[in-house]
Amino acid sequence: MRPGRLRLLAAAAAIALVAAPLCVTPSFAQTPMDNDPLDARDAKRLDRMEKVVRELRDIVFAAQKTGAPVVVQPADTDSRLTDLATRLGDLEQTLTKLNGSLETTTHELDQSRRDNAALRAQVKSLGDRLAADEQKVAEAAQAAQTAAATPAAPAEPEAPADPKAAAAAAASAFTKARQLMLNGDYDGAQAAFAAYVTTYPDTPRTPEARYWWGKTLAVNGDYARAAAAFIGAIRGWPQTVWAPDAVVELGRALVELKKPTDACEALVEVNRKYPKAPAAVKSRAAAVRLKAKCG
């Protein structure tokens, strides 16, 4: 006998055994009993058994028609529960990894915040120190500018009885002041030329001393006093090599003092009074005109 037939017979026998207890006469099932032996749990179990019997019967009948061996597959519910359990396990693993990554990211973020706070504190400290240093530099510069703008009046030498001795003293003072400027000591030169103008107001070189004095004042940004010095230098339009440049410097000082109209009027005199001025001086005059927006 073929194995498929044997399996069919075995399945049929199992169905008969399971179904046998169910084959009771209706009269017996309908007999009233004071104490029903089947409680609710047994009733559910019986329903499940009847369902299994029906499924087995359908399988047997289908096998009889096709001749195929009887294979009882697990219930679809169990398969789904197994699949859900697997997926749940995968989700738990993924969640665990995400939690680990989140903890790492949170730790790194906290560390970055601490680093940023420390950096901001360092920047603030450096900014405070820089502000303090700038304040000290500004105060020192202001003190130096004040001292340079108001040089201590040197003791006026007694006028020598001999005119030649007086002229020699004036020439020596001018030479010393000019040398200070050539050496780059503009503060010292400024004080020396101021002393010369005060001590020797009427010498032939006093206008030139005013010109150089104005140059040192302009270098230190004192454009108001520089303009006054240049005006005193070019009074009478002297025909000297430094006079054209003195006019240009006067115009530049007036531009810095926000007086472009006055600057343009002064610069007109460069070509009129000094037509033979050096090309470099004329070029600088043109640059100042452009800055003053002369017409």
Side-chain angles (χ1 to χ4, degrees):
M1 184 177 293
R2 292 180 298 174
R5 181 66 63 180
L6 290 175
R7 284 191 290 270
L8 286 174
L9 292 176
I15 293 172
L17 290 174
V18 174
L22 301 176
C23 297
V24 295
T25 60
S27 61
F28 180 78
Q30 295 175 358
T31 302
M33 298 179 66
D34 295 336
N35 296 322
D36 190 353
L38 297 177
D39 55 11
R41 184 171 55 185
D42 293 335
K44 291 181 180 180
R45 185 180 302 169
L46 182 59
D47 290 339
R48 287 197 298 270
M49 293 175 64
E50 289 178 352
K51 181 179 179 181
V52 172
V53 169
R54 287 194 297 272
E55 292 177 352
L56 289 174
R57 185 179 60 189
D58 293 340
I59 293 171
V60 171
F61 288 158
Q64 288 177 348
K65 293 180 181 180
T66 61
V70 177
V71 179
V72 180
Q73 300 291 342
D76 184 61
T77 302
D78 295 337
S79 176
R80 291 184 179 181
L81 287 175
T82 302
D83 182 59
L84 287 174
T86 302
R87 294 172 61 185
L88 182 59
D90 294 340
L91 288 175
E92 289 178 349
Q93 293 180 0
T94 303
L95 183 58
T96 301
K97 293 179 180 179
L98 289 175
N99 287 335
S101 300
L102 181 59
E103 290 177 358
T104 301
T105 303
T106 302
H107 176 71
E108 292 176 351
L109 181 60
D110 292 339
Q111 185 63 36
S112 298
R113 288 175 178 172
R114 289 192 292 270
D115 293 342
N116 288 338
L119 182 60
R120 285 196 295 270
Q122 292 179 0
V123 170
K124 184 178 183 302
S125 177
L126 290 175
D128 294 341
R129 290 171 58 187
L130 180 60
D133 291 342
E134 289 179 347
Q135 180 65 25
K136 292 180 181 178
V137 171
E139 291 175 356
Q142 182 65 29
Q145 185 174 359
T146 302
T150 57
E156 297 184 7
E158 296 181 0
D162 187 355
K164 290 183 179 180
S172 176
F174 185 92
T175 301
K176 289 180 180 179
R178 187 76 176 91
Q179 189 61 46
L180 288 172
M181 189 169 184
L182 292 175
N183 292 339
D185 185 3
Y186 294 103
D187 292 338
Q190 177 180 327
F193 281 119
Y196 185 96
V197 170
T198 302
T199 306
Y200 307 104
D202 298 321
T203 68
R205 305 202 71 172
T206 299
E208 184 179 359
R210 291 183 179 277
Y211 162 69
W212 293 115
W213 183 33
K215 292 278 254 185
T216 60
L217 290 168
V219 168
N220 288 322
D222 191 350
Y223 295 107
R225 297 178 68 197
F230 291 131
I231 291 174
I234 62 174
R235 184 176 290 114
W237 306 103
Q239 297 297 316
T240 63
V241 294
W242 51 263
D245 185 67
V247 179
V248 175
E249 288 295 326
L250 172 60
R252 190 168 71 89
L254 292 172
V255 170
E256 296 295 337
L257 292 171
K258 311 299 182 185
K259 297 181 179 180
T261 302
D262 295 339
C264 293
E265 291 179 357
L267 292 171
V268 169
E269 301 298 329
V270 174
N271 292 329
R272 188 187 324 183
K273 298 291 184 180
Y274 307 106
K276 296 182 180 180
V281 174
K282 291 183 177 181
S283 177
R284 290 180 58 241
V288 177
R289 284 195 198 94
L290 182 63
K291 189 173 182 180
K293 298 181 180 179
C294 300

